Amino acid sequence: MTLNQLEYFCAVCRYHSITRAAAELFITQPTISVAIRDLEKEFNIKLFNHGKNKITLTSEGEEFYKKASGLLLHSHELYDEFGSMGRNIPAIRIGIPPLMSTVFFPRLINLFQKNYNIPVKLYEYGSIRASNLINEDILDVALVNMDFYNISKFESYFLMNDSYIFCVSKNHRFSNEKEITLDMLKDEPIILFNTDSVQNSTIFARYHAMNIIPEVLLHSSQLGTILNFVRGGNCGAFLYSSLAVNPRDFVEIPVKPEITSDFGLLWKKGKIPNSKTTKFIDFIRSNEYKDIFTCDK
């Protein structure tokens, strides 16, 4: 038996619904179902009666709920009493993609801290590295490109969709093109994000599907560095359309067929986020701040 299992069980009791409990705790329904099944197996009791559109406690479940809610109350009191003894409040550890963080994270963090006065520490990592650090409990949450193979092993919340563009200087030979295809870029030097970015696997997969080996000139996580290379006119870079690029110096060419990516917030599966992290997740999910994640430029 774990405190997480008791939290899941009591949430279902409060909301009379596994679906709503999962939404409130920011976890998946199967995670709750497994926890309840494990409790029933461990204590050899049946906790719920499952009707067609209703879930109710058994008599054993009612007694178990009284004990479980009492244990959770004491654990919360223990945390509040001794957690407040330290002068320093632990910060929420948030992983952010180096380039995408320039789009909306400064506004987001300012709004969050204005409302909650909770310290935040930001760490720049590509999505693949950030997801690994979440599993290692080094990060609490991370903004990621969600197009990687094991996304289902995490809890996640979709924020926005963005499309790829090919960015070139005004004097590049493709600067007057209305669209760009990978076949046109067969021998063209290109710039990609760092190797811990999902962008690399996405772009490489498209190239390899056409039996083309891309001519990668540079991997970089710094937009300024990328644009300085592009400015010379001898290469181009795959970027996201939401990134702010000065139209006086650069041209953004749509990629055809279109390549898009989903972005969202990621946190560990099977573990209830601490109260500070829960506030941050809830803050992002609130409609009041949805406009932060629109790709207007």
Side-chain angles (χ1 to χ4, degrees):
M1 178 184 70
T2 67
L3 288 177
N4 274 355
Q5 289 173 329
L6 296 183
E7 289 277 13
Y8 301 160
F9 165 73
C10 289
V12 175
C13 294
R14 290 195 303 273
Y15 299 115
H16 306 286
S17 166
I18 291 177
T19 301
R20 187 175 173 194
E24 293 295 328
L25 294 176
F26 309 116
I27 57 177
T28 61
Q29 295 180 46
T31 299
I32 291 184
S33 298
V34 170
I36 292 173
R37 189 161 58 245
D38 288 345
L39 286 173
E40 291 179 326
K41 183 177 180 181
E42 181 176 352
F43 293 100
N44 195 28
I45 59 175
K46 184 179 180 182
L47 296 172
F48 292 105
N49 290 314
H50 298 269
K52 185 175 181 180
N53 296 308
K54 189 177 182 182
I55 183 171
T56 59
L57 283 166
T58 63
S59 57
E60 292 174 317
E62 290 178 359
E63 290 301 316
F64 193 86
Y65 175 66
K66 292 176 184 177
K67 297 290 186 181
S69 56
L71 280 172
L72 288 176
L73 176 61
H74 288 309
S75 70
H76 294 160
E77 289 174 348
L78 186 68
Y79 180 86
D80 290 340
E81 179 178 351
F82 290 95
S84 62
M85 284 186 174
R87 290 175 179 246
N88 297 322
I89 302 174
I92 305 172
R93 302 162 301 175
I94 304 174
I96 55 175
L99 275 82
M100 287 302 295
S101 62
T102 64
V103 179
F104 43 67
F105 246 86
R107 285 189 295 155
L108 174 70
I109 295 305
N110 288 339
L111 285 170
F112 176 71
Q113 293 188 312
K114 179 180 178 181
N115 282 273
Y116 293 97
N117 195 31
I118 294 175
V120 167
K121 285 187 178 180
L122 302 178
Y123 300 86
E124 287 192 342
Y125 293 112
S127 299
I128 297 172
R129 177 64 174 149
S131 64
N132 291 333
L133 293 177
I134 285 176
N135 267 337
E136 296 169 14
D137 292 318
I138 295 174
L139 293 178
D140 297 308
V141 294
L143 174 69
V144 299
N145 181 323
M146 300 174 72
D147 298 334
F148 57 92
Y149 75 99
N150 62 343
I151 186 71
S152 62
K153 293 184 178 180
F154 299 86
E155 303 291 353
S156 61
Y157 180 73
F158 171 81
L159 294 173
M160 58 177 274
N161 178 272
D162 203 357
S163 58
Y164 288 83
I165 55 93
F166 192 68
C167 179
V168 298
S169 70
K170 291 283 190 177
N171 60 346
H172 192 279
R173 64 192 183 98
F174 288 145
S175 61
N176 292 320
E177 298 290 340
K178 300 300 181 183
E179 60 184 41
I180 203 84
T181 66
L182 296 191
D183 189 57
M184 295 168 64
L185 300 177
K186 183 176 181 179
D187 300 312
E188 188 72 21
I190 63 171
I191 298 175
L192 296 176
F193 296 169
N194 274 351
T195 53
D196 64 345
S197 167
V198 174
Q199 187 222 46
N200 286 276
S201 57
T202 300
I203 297 298
F204 272 112
R206 292 297 185 98
Y207 269 99
H208 291 165
M210 301 181 64
N211 294 317
I212 299 173
I213 299 176
E215 296 288 337
V216 181
L217 173 67
L218 172 72
H219 289 280
S220 177
S221 63
Q222 301 301 316
L223 184 59
T225 300
I226 292 172
L227 294 181
N228 280 338
F229 271 84
V230 172
R231 187 175 280 108
N234 297 320
C235 64
F238 284 98
L239 299 176
Y240 300 118
S241 65
S242 57
L243 292 175
V245 175
N246 190 335
R248 291 177 299 180
D249 299 323
F250 303 98
V251 177
E252 297 181 359
I253 309 172
V255 178
K256 298 297 178 181
E258 185 180 29
I259 306 174
T260 64
S261 284
D262 290 339
F263 290 86
L265 203 66
L266 211 67
W267 62 99
K268 195 169 186 177
K269 176 171 281 190
K271 177 183 178 181
I272 299 176
N274 60 45
S275 58
K276 299 185 298 297
T277 304
T278 297
K279 284 186 174 68
F280 182 74
I281 295 170
D282 196 40
F283 168 82
I284 285 186
R285 290 174 57 151
S286 64
N287 290 328
E288 183 177 355
Y289 307 108
K290 289 285 188 178
D291 62 325
I292 293 176
F293 301 103
T294 56
C295 292
D296 54 339
K297 301 178 73 172

